[in-house]
Amino acid sequence: MAATITAFDHSPDRGRGLARDMRVRWALEEVGQPYTVLSVPWAAMKHPDHRARNPFGQIPTFHEGDLALFESGAIVLHIAERHGGLLPDDASARARAIAWMFAALNTVEPPVVELSMAFLVERDQPWYEARRPMLVERVQARLRELSDHLGNADWLDGAFSAGDLLMVTVLRRLGSTGLLDGYPTLAAYIARAEARPAYARAFAAQLAAFNAAS
Ligand code: GTB
């Protein structure tokens, strides 16, 4: 039975693949699993029907048979554990790849989201210009560290893994900030990931959904 995922019916990113359904679509494409998409209108996001899928009233969610999941990281981990291609077989390498999944979501994503949310909701506030350098420096610190770790390697730890998939979806959110321009290693890392056929299929699908809803 094909999985069903939920996504925005009209994503605020205007089809740039920045909403978190993109990472779930990409993971499913990497492992070659079909899926269907249930679009959730904004007005229905906090409705009890959707809160039954995700108590926080957010997308994405994942449903397959009698399994219902929310949290994009948990969904990607589930997909990676059930199907080959996103986690190494070797137990230690697998544990390290999972550590990179957590690093993407717990160490890199928070400052990235804080910076983008500040721009979205605080940029007209009197404190915004004073606060922004601190937010930028927090992101820059993570970019420096990540860039140093990556060095000349293609991926974070050996072969492409679910850790790279999540890290790239987090870094892509910085696209409009210009901050990645100072990190050619990371820009090349993102480009390498975006060149993967599975990424291209996932990106095209979410863009087609956005265009169909417009
Ligand atoms: N921790 C959860 C997860 O990883 O699944 C977070 C899920 C989440 O934040 N979902 C967002 C949502 O449902 C959509 S992806 N928001 C509606 C709500 O909370 O009511 C976040 C997002 C939205 C828009 C852009 N964008 O326009 O660029 C990027 C990311």
Side-chain angles (χ1 to χ4, degrees), residues 145-160:
E145 290 156 344
L146 204 53
S147 179
D148 288 349
H149 170 81
L150 204 53
N152 293 324
D154 280 354
W155 308 115
L156 291 168
D157 187 343
F160 177 84

Side-chain angles (χ1 to χ4, degrees), residues 8 12-13 18-20 42 46 57-60 71-72 173:
F8 285 129
D13 73 354
L18 300 177
R20 290 184 177 88
W42 276 102
K46 307 301 176 192
Q58 296 186 314
I59 60 96
E71 282 299 328
S72 59
R173 200 150 167 183

Side-chain angles (χ1 to χ4, degrees), residues 7-8 11-24 42 45-46 50-51 54 56-61 70-75 105 109 113 116-117 120 166 173 176:
F8 285 129
S11 180
D13 73 354
R14 307 189 64 77
R16 286 180 295 151
L18 300 177
R20 290 184 177 88
D21 59 295
M22 175 65 195
R23 48 184 71 161
V24 175
W42 276 102
M45 201 66 82
K46 307 301 176 192
H50 188 59
R51 283 200 197 272
N54 178 335
F56 305 108
Q58 296 186 314
I59 60 96
T61 62
F70 60 97
E71 282 299 328
S72 59
I75 298 168
L105 302 184
E109 188 163 53
V113 168
S116 68
M117 289 307 289
L120 281 177
L166 290 178
R173 200 150 167 183
S176 59

Side-chain angles (χ1 to χ4, degrees), residues 189-205:
Y189 171 60
I190 296 167
R192 208 156 33 245
E194 290 177 341
R196 295 177 71 84
Y199 175 93
R201 289 193 296 274
F203 187 90

